[in-house]
Amino acid sequence: MDELRINIDRLMGRIDELAQIGAIENTDGCARLALTDEDKAGRDLVLTWMRDLGTEITIDGIGNVTAVWAGPDTDASLDPVMTGSHIDTVRTGGRYDGNLGVLAGLEVVETIAEAGLSPRRPIAVGFFTDEEGSRFPPDMLGSLVYVGGMSLEEGLDTVGIDGAILGEELDRIGYRGGAPCPAAAPHAFVELHIEQGPVLEAEGTTIGAVESVQGISWTEITIKGQSNHAGTTPMDLRRDPGYAAARIAAFVRELALEMGGRQVATVGQIKLHPNLVNVVAANATLTVDLRNTDEMMLQQAEKQLAVFCDELAESENVTITSRSLARFEPVVFDPEVVDRVACTAEALGHSFKRMPSGAGHDAQMLARVCPTAMIFTPSWMGLSHNPFEYTEPTDIAAGANVLLHVLRGLADEDG
Ligand code: GLV
Ligand code: MN
Ligand code: MN
């Protein structure tokens, strides 16, 4: 492995500049929900950096942006090696989730360009629309459309939690492009991302060579009961959606603990209506996020939740309906690309660990169409989807240098 290394100050400078857009007061975090004004401003800034690098930029029908760079002796007719991630965030986002993968990709291109190198294949750096899915479910919507897993029409028609239509928001911010979806598959895809969990930090390991992504099941549950006076309605005559929602939240937690292994369960959102201190709620809406690396176990969790809801509806005399917001099976990455990540980390002198990903990522969609893997760097206290998300600059440099050399190796491949 030669001595070429990325410029960490330049990379940290860009992470900081992008994080100023939608900055959350008194924190290092930011809020750039997909297709909001903040997302547009973030996109505009990243596009200026893409243009400065002399890349060829395309925007597709769902707003995914791809910047392709070729050196003077690169064979532009070959499929590019691709990297990237997302720049949208959750409402309480950190500055690294997604953004690191996009900006490190640009940093890798700049490093290679500055060194006057020409890999055989072009290098593409992309950012995908609405990875978080917290405004427009499902998560990874843009990359799902990119690989043909969802039609463009369905993607554009997606209704957000605020009632907005994805396609209209895309037009409003000027990011509905003409490039086709699904896109042509790249030669390979590698995404750098923070771990967003506690494993690497706890073990003192610098690099995660990500072998798989766990399956994801998001369900929205709606409970309807009878709104009534909190003081006069006897307990045994209530039809209380607030209580039923609480029972479901407690049930999924107990279920995950009972199942053990890698089963996790989260109720991240509960909305009561009319949401008043002295009124038994008329209805409740809550979300359940179930994840497992094992598809059969995930299905078992889903079934048990459905049975529980049926029994609860009967015993509490409420109606319970549910609708799927997202459902993705576990994904196994390409063993050869994972090996490349592990070998490159070792050659650069970094400790590394082969591991699954707990979070969903655009890479899991790209894995449907080309050899794919991911590189993880540690997260302070395992925190993410939290403005206090933090990764040491030395770890960011390590991850970006692994990305640099993995991409260079793939970009010089035949085939
Ligand atoms: C996406 O960020 C997810 O894993 O929820
Ligand atoms: Mn992410
Ligand atoms: Mn995220």
Side-chain angles (χ1 to χ4, degrees):
M1 194 136 304
D2 62 31
E3 298 296 306
L4 193 66
R5 298 292 180 270
I6 61 99
N7 179 335
I8 187 60
D9 293 334
R10 187 166 58 197
L11 175 54
M12 295 308 293
R14 287 196 180 129
I15 290 172
D16 188 53
E17 203 176 330
L18 184 51
Q20 301 313 313
I21 301 174
I24 300 172
E25 231 174 86
N26 301 321
T27 76
D28 280 348
C30 41
R32 291 196 307 274
L33 284 175
L35 311 184
T36 54
D37 292 348
E38 291 75 21
D39 186 20
K40 175 191 163 31
R43 285 166 173 261
D44 291 350
L45 178 60
V46 174
L47 256 84
T48 63
W49 291 328
M50 288 175 159
R51 277 191 208 102
D52 291 347
L53 282 174
T55 60
E56 193 178 310
I57 301 169
T58 55
I59 305 177
D60 70 17
I62 201 77
N64 298 317
V65 175
T66 308
V68 180
W69 177 84
D73 300 323
T74 298
D75 182 349
S77 70
L78 294 176
D79 292 335
V81 169
M82 190 170 186
T83 188
S85 191
H86 60 98
I87 61 167
D88 67 315
T89 75
V90 296
R91 205 190 299 282
T92 53
R95 57 174 54 195
Y96 304 97
D97 177 0
N99 303 293
L100 171 62
V102 178
L103 300 181
L106 295 181
E107 178 54 39
V108 163
V109 165
E110 191 153 1
T111 301
I112 293 173
E114 266 179 356
L117 300 171
S118 276
R120 277 196 69 210
R121 294 172 180 281
I123 298 178
V125 182
F127 61 82
F128 298 99
T129 295
D130 186 41
E131 189 275 348
E132 294 294 2
S134 48
R135 184 175 182 210
F136 295 103
D139 50 351
M140 288 119 11
L141 186 147
S143 46
L144 185 61
V145 172
Y146 192 83
V147 302
M150 178 189 273
S151 72
L152 176 59
E153 294 67 34
E154 193 184 340
L156 293 171
D157 287 346
T158 303
V159 180
I161 54 170
D162 49 3
I165 311 290
L166 190 147
E168 289 174 9
E169 285 294 89
L170 206 50
D171 284 334
R172 188 184 67 81
I173 68 165
Y175 272 90
R176 193 202 289 223
C181 325
H187 176 66
F189 184 83
V190 182
E191 179 174 354
L192 172 64
H193 206 286
I194 55 166
E195 181 201 341
Q196 309 182 272
V199 176
L200 292 175
E201 184 187 62
E203 295 186 0
T205 302
T206 306
I207 296 293
V210 185
E211 296 179 301
S212 59
V213 181
Q214 63 184 349
I216 300 176
S217 168
W218 286 0
T219 308
E220 181 187 77
I221 297 176
T222 303
I223 307 165
K224 292 200 163 94
Q226 176 64 62
S227 193
N228 210 335
H229 196 292
T232 60
T233 316
M235 295 308 289
D236 60 344
L237 294 182
R238 291 180 184 218
R239 301 173 55 213
D240 185 350
Y243 173 66
R247 287 281 304 275
I248 292 171
F251 172 78
V252 296
R253 182 182 169 85
E254 284 152 17
L255 176 69
L257 289 170
E258 202 177 286
M259 288 177 71
R262 290 196 174 273
Q263 182 63 52
V264 289
T266 308
V267 171
Q269 198 179 61
I270 299 186
K271 287 185 259 178
L272 298 182
H273 179 78
N275 205 27
L276 295 168
V277 63
N278 53 355
V279 181
V280 176
N283 52 60
T285 309
L286 69 156
T287 55
V288 178
D289 175 322
L290 298 171
R291 304 195 195 199
N292 203 313
T293 46
D294 182 316
E295 172 63 20
M296 297 319 286
M297 298 284 278
L298 186 55
Q299 286 183 19
Q300 190 186 320
E302 289 174 315
K303 255 182 226 135
Q304 293 204 39
L305 172 60
V307 169
F308 181 80
C309 286
D310 285 348
E311 288 169 2
L312 187 67
E314 183 138 341
S315 63
E316 293 305 316
N317 197 16
V318 292
T319 59
I320 301 183
T321 51
S322 61
R323 107 185 143 98
S324 175
L325 297 180
R327 181 63 166 90
F328 300 115
E329 289 188 12
V331 171
V332 177
F333 286 139
D334 184 272
E336 281 179 29
V337 185
V338 177
D339 279 349
R340 263 182 196 273
V341 171
C343 292
T344 305
E346 189 166 39
L348 289 172
H350 301 306
S351 54
F352 70 95
K353 175 189 178 72
R354 292 167 189 271
M355 62 190 297
S357 168
H361 295 291
D362 295 308
Q364 78 190 79
M365 299 308 164
L366 272 291
R368 297 184 184 195
V369 296
C370 67
T372 296
M374 293 186 72
I375 304 161
F376 273 177
T377 53
S379 290
W380 174 69
M381 305 239 304
L383 281 183
S384 188
H385 287 185
N386 180 323
F388 291 97
E389 177 187 278
Y390 177 71
T391 297
E392 293 283 350
T394 48
D395 291 335
I396 288 181
N401 280 316
V402 173
L403 181 69
L404 167 68
H405 288 286
V406 170
L407 290 179
R408 281 181 70 198
L410 288 166
D412 283 333
E413 263 185 349
D414 298 332

